Amino acid sequence: MSAEVITGFEDLLAANAKYAEHFRYSGFDGIAHAGVGVVTCMDSRIPPLELLGLKPGDAKVLRSAGGRVTELTMTGLVLGVQLLGVRRIMVIPHTRCAMAAMTEDELRAKVELAAGKPAGYLPLNVVPDQLEALRRDVAAVREHPLIGDDVLVGGFMYNVDTGRLEQIS
């Protein structure tokens, strides 16, 4: 009898084994060495470190649907500022975001159709106006009592078709 466990993750575990063969980040301290904190969307078209010219260990990256500053991402930002060297915060939603492309009812209907179950209890928090939401999120971070006036906070839009960032606020 084989001790091998079939998990459905074999391809990813094999890729990780190759990655670990040349792993070079051992001993990192967890500090954001470039002093950067990033809130961006969970969209897989966004490579946050790469698009900013950063490498592992340079930044704290927090992701949420729509790139919104949520209670959890705000907690991460506070920890980053107070304990992990973050001095600049970038909030980066993106073009062609599904969270900005439909109403709450439309998105909920899609989720329910895909799941085959009701999802009325699930807050989806669509973004009807991305630029207004970005301005509000940036203001919320700037005004948070545990972030501090000495931390630079900016709002940017990432274009998934060109790779460019545009500063909004």
Side-chain angles (χ1 to χ4, degrees):
M1 186 141 122
S2 171
E4 184 177 322
V5 177
I6 297 180
T7 66
F9 296 94
E10 289 83 0
D11 59 331
L12 300 173
L13 291 171
N16 174 254
K18 280 186 156 182
Y19 171 78
E21 287 174 12
H22 304 287
F23 187 68
R24 57 181 191 208
Y25 302 114
S26 181
F28 268 34
D29 56 15
I31 300 298
H33 287 276
V36 178
V38 176
V39 176
T40 195
C41 187
M42 60 190 246
D43 193 299
S44 58
R45 295 171 290 182
I46 304 169
L49 295 178
E50 184 179 339
L51 75 90
L52 297 170
L54 301 173
K55 62 186 181 314
D58 283 346
K60 296 300 171 192
V61 178
L62 306 155
R63 291 188 180 252
S64 66
R68 298 300 312 276
V69 174
T70 65
E71 184 178 351
L72 287 174
T73 58
M74 187 67 86
T75 298
L77 292 173
V78 167
L79 293 172
V81 166
Q82 297 303 327
L83 303 175
L84 302 170
V86 170
R87 306 312 313 150
R88 296 180 290 168
I89 295 172
M90 301 176 78
V91 181
I92 310 175
H94 65 94
T95 59
R96 295 198 298 120
C97 182
M99 297 302 290
M102 54 190 109
T103 68
E104 189 97 5
D105 289 341
E106 290 168 333
L107 186 57
R108 186 173 318 287
K110 285 186 111 168
V111 169
E112 289 178 349
L113 182 63
K117 298 176 183 177
Y121 63 91
L122 185 66
L124 297 175
N125 303 315
V126 298
V127 187
D129 183 339
Q130 279 186 298
L131 297 181
E132 179 56 30
L134 177 56
R135 287 182 186 98
R136 281 195 320 260
D137 285 351
V138 167
V141 175
R142 285 180 178 150
E143 294 166 8
H144 196 284
L146 297 175
I147 294 296
D149 294 335
D150 59 333
V151 176
L152 185 61
V153 182
F156 305 81
M157 181 64 69
Y158 176 68
N159 186 314
V160 296
D161 295 312
T162 67
R164 295 218 178 255
L165 279 179
E166 176 185 354
Q167 187 162 6
I168 304 299
S169 62

